[in-house]
Amino acid sequence: NNNKKHTVNIYTNASHKVLFFSASGEEGRTYQLFLFREKGKLVKQSKIRNRETTVVSKPEKGNYYFEVFSDDIRIESGTILVL
């Protein structure tokens, strides 16, 4: 997704064995990623530096919910399906 100050990318590779999360915006910015499984179980919490990517290896099949924060403000949220 792309908004005025921040760009957040969430995608999986073709085999669904890796989830990639990246965020970019103002120089020096750090983002907080929260990734949840169904029923609200936290799977990963990670800091993402501006223009860097974090990886979740071998995610279980199913639906995931994510939230990305910048300065305690949610800038993106959504779901992703891993097959």
Side-chain angles (χ1 to χ4, degrees):
N1 189 21
N2 190 354
N3 66 33
K4 293 180 182 179
K5 292 184 180 181
H6 312 280
T7 302
V8 177
N9 295 301
I10 298 99
Y11 52 95
T12 184
N13 65 346
S15 63
H16 290 263
K17 292 186 179 179
V18 179
L19 287 173
F20 299 94
F21 291 83
S22 64
S24 62
E26 298 171 7
E27 198 62 39
R29 174 77 56 189
T30 300
Y31 302 91
Q32 280 285 121
L33 162 71
F34 297 91
L35 180 65
F36 302 92
R37 286 278 291 152
E38 299 168 273
K39 299 180 183 176
K41 180 182 176 188
L42 182 65
V43 174
K44 183 168 182 87
Q45 178 179 351
S46 180
K47 287 186 179 182
I48 307 170
R49 292 187 181 154
N50 189 36
R51 297 188 179 103
E52 289 187 353
T53 300
T54 191
V55 173
V56 177
S57 298
K58 299 180 183 177
E60 294 180 24
K61 293 179 181 181
N63 289 311
Y64 290 82
Y65 176 76
F66 66 89
E67 293 183 322
V68 180
F69 289 82
S70 175
D71 293 332
D72 296 327
I73 298 171
R74 186 174 61 194
I75 60 166
E76 189 63 53
S77 64
T79 59
I80 188 167
L81 174 63
V82 175
L83 303 175

